[in-house]
Amino acid sequence: MTGAASAAVVVVAAEPAEAQPASERESRDERTKARYQPDAPDVQAFYRTNRY
């Protein structure tokens, strides 16, 4: 159980460094680019296999 407790401490300690607003992590070009592309092969495969 000591290993699980120490692993949890490592995860909690690593989060604050990564918890930055997107505006600080990305450049202006990255913020304004199109992210969702419905015609992308991976998106088409997802909806083909996961019909609702």
Side-chain angles (χ1 to χ4, degrees):
M1 187 154 159
T2 305
S6 63
V9 171
V10 171
V11 171
V12 172
E15 277 187 53
E18 297 172 358
Q20 299 175 4
S23 59
E24 292 179 10
R25 286 192 316 260
E26 300 176 331
S27 69
R28 180 181 173 151
D29 291 335
E30 290 174 330
R31 285 191 302 260
T32 58
K33 71 179 179 181
R35 296 171 191 271
Y36 177 74
Q37 299 175 352
D39 294 329
D42 55 333
V43 175
Q44 294 295 321
F46 174 83
Y47 285 107
R48 182 176 57 251
T49 58
N50 296 300
R51 299 257 184 226
Y52 296 112

